[in-house]
Amino acid sequence: MESLRNKRAACRSVFTRVANNLTSLLADSNRDPVETEAAWEQLHVKMDYLRKSDDEIMDKLLEEETSEETMLQELEGTEKYVATFTQLKVRYSRFVIKPSEEVNSDANSDFTKRQRKMKLPKIELKKFDGSIRDWLPFWSQFEKIHTDETIALEDKFQYLIFATVPNSKARDVIEGFPPTAGNYSEAVNRLKTRFGRDDLLIEFYVRELLKLVLRNDGTHSKNEIASLYDKLETQIRSLQTLGVNTDMCAAMLYPLVESSLPEEFLRAWQQSSDFAAASSNSMNSRLDKLMKFLRSEVENEERITLAIEVH
């Protein structure tokens, strides 16, 4: 029980610090909207962990058949933090971004009015479950928190836990470390080593390209070409994000992309002026021209579809 109470005391201390920070921000007419948003997200995470800690203690008290008076004292102590969170939640819900300075020009004045009225939806952290396919979109979002020097390391650790799916492979890796500031960097490195290695990701996206080739039985309909183009573009862009630029791998990617095309489009490509011009150029140029040709064919099919629908 003593260890549980010590754990909760630490949670309450961190919660109070974050709550005080958010209170100050909400009271400041020149508050930074980004900093205020971050403070609210931190408070939300801290409240979740505080509730979990309270539940653990209550369960322990029930097991020990604690007196009613002690249980009542426990609940009263808990309600104080719940009340603080609720009050800040209400105040934050009324939070409106205000301009930090007066703008004299008419054009800027109109923009300021729109800024006052517009409230963008809150961006939810993408939760990662350990799927290689989801690593790049997950890390591109979480990296903003990872590189933010204004967020304490222990808070970053809590965000990292919050951004993984419970009972998943990713969560299992994170929970192998006590959630302290000193362990944050090690937890991130372990996550990257397990799921974010460049060689593993490159292999995954090359295999995705190979799947497109193997699925090509020459029976793609014209409506499926747009989907095929989107998938090809996704795999190539992902490889480029990993540092595998077309100069390095065009000799490998070009035949894969070409082999994934239906016979009808492959013949059209080889009969086009772009193919003739690309034949004397580098493999990198041939791949670029092939993707541009495919995009042009997709756009032409969409125009034809629109024209037919008019009749």
Side-chain angles (χ1 to χ4, degrees):
M1 177 62 78
E2 186 65 24
S3 62
L4 291 177
R5 291 190 182 278
N6 289 338
K7 175 183 175 183
R8 185 178 65 179
C11 289
R12 284 180 171 179
S13 177
V14 174
F15 174 88
T16 300
R17 174 171 59 81
V18 176
N20 290 339
N21 180 45
L22 179 58
T23 300
S24 299
L25 288 170
L26 291 174
D28 185 359
S29 59
N30 295 320
R31 58 183 171 263
D32 182 351
V34 176
E35 185 179 359
T36 306
E37 175 80 12
W40 164 249
E41 291 294 338
Q42 290 181 47
L43 185 69
H44 200 282
V45 172
K46 300 309 176 190
M47 190 64 212
D48 286 342
Y49 275 88
L50 186 54
R51 283 172 174 160
K52 182 178 179 180
S53 183
D54 287 332
D55 290 341
E56 289 175 347
I57 291 177
M58 288 299 294
D59 290 342
K60 191 68 174 177
L61 290 175
L62 289 171
E63 289 178 6
E64 297 176 353
E65 298 183 356
T66 307
S67 66
E68 183 178 345
E69 182 180 355
T70 302
M71 296 285 285
L72 181 59
Q73 291 176 352
E74 182 67 30
L75 289 172
E76 288 176 348
T78 299
E79 283 303 314
K80 180 177 68 173
Y81 293 91
V82 174
T84 299
F85 177 78
T86 303
Q87 291 171 4
L88 286 172
K89 181 178 180 180
V90 173
R91 290 183 61 186
Y92 181 78
S93 66
R94 299 174 182 174
F95 170 66
V96 178
I97 298 176
K98 295 182 179 180
S100 59
E101 58 184 9
E102 295 295 329
V103 184
N104 295 323
S105 68
D106 292 338
N108 286 335
S109 178
D110 289 340
F111 173 77
T112 300
K113 291 178 181 178
R114 292 196 301 272
Q115 189 182 36
R116 287 174 177 171
K117 295 178 180 178
M118 181 176 62
K119 186 175 181 180
L120 296 175
K122 183 172 65 175
I123 298 176
E124 296 289 341
L125 274 176
K126 181 176 180 62
K127 293 184 180 292
F128 182 61
D129 63 357
S131 171
I132 302 299
R133 182 188 303 275
D134 296 330
W135 172 261
L136 285 180
F138 158 73
W139 184 249
S140 66
Q141 185 185 47
F142 188 81
E143 192 174 18
K144 296 177 183 178
I145 296 175
H146 179 65
T147 58
D148 191 334
E149 297 180 353
T150 65
I151 303 177
L153 291 179
E154 58 267 28
D155 293 336
K156 289 182 180 182
F157 206 131
Q158 299 301 331
Y159 278 123
L160 185 62
I161 295 173
F162 183 74
T164 55
V165 177
N167 301 317
S168 66
K169 293 184 292 184
R171 176 65 67 84
D172 289 343
V173 170
I174 297 303
E175 290 184 339
F177 299 88
T180 64
N183 285 327
Y184 171 72
S185 295
E186 184 64 26
V188 170
N189 290 335
R190 183 69 61 83
L191 202 65
K192 286 183 175 181
T193 302
R194 180 75 179 276
F195 306 107
R197 296 199 328 266
D198 285 354
D199 60 331
L200 186 64
L201 293 168
I202 291 170
E203 180 180 339
F204 169 78
Y205 287 110
V206 170
R207 287 180 183 276
E208 290 297 297
L209 280 173
L210 284 172
K211 288 179 184 178
L212 294 178
V213 174
L214 296 174
R215 290 172 186 167
N216 178 23
D217 56 3
T219 60
H220 288 289
S221 67
K222 293 182 178 180
N223 293 332
E224 293 175 323
I225 293 301
S227 176
L228 175 62
Y229 171 76
D230 291 337
K231 291 176 181 177
L232 288 170
E233 185 77 5
T234 297
Q235 312 313 329
I236 292 174
R237 294 297 181 191
S238 297
L239 287 168
Q240 290 175 341
T241 299
L242 293 166
V244 183
N245 57 50
T246 51
D247 290 329
M248 294 169 55
C249 62
M252 174 189 68
L253 293 181
Y254 177 80
L256 287 177
V257 173
E258 194 176 51
S259 297
S260 68
L261 299 179
E263 183 178 352
E264 176 184 357
F265 280 82
L266 188 56
R267 289 184 182 277
W269 157 243
Q270 293 183 350
Q271 294 171 2
S272 68
S273 57
D274 286 334
F275 177 79
S279 298
S280 58
N281 295 332
S282 66
M283 193 65 73
N284 180 24
S285 176
R286 293 173 66 182
L287 177 61
D288 184 56
K289 288 184 179 296
L290 174 56
M291 292 303 296
K292 288 181 179 179
F293 170 81
L294 186 55
R295 181 178 64 190
S296 176
E297 290 296 307
V298 169
E299 292 172 351
N300 289 338
E301 288 298 329
E302 290 175 347
R303 292 191 187 97
I304 292 173
T305 300
L306 289 174
I308 293 175
E309 290 177 350
V310 172
H311 299 289

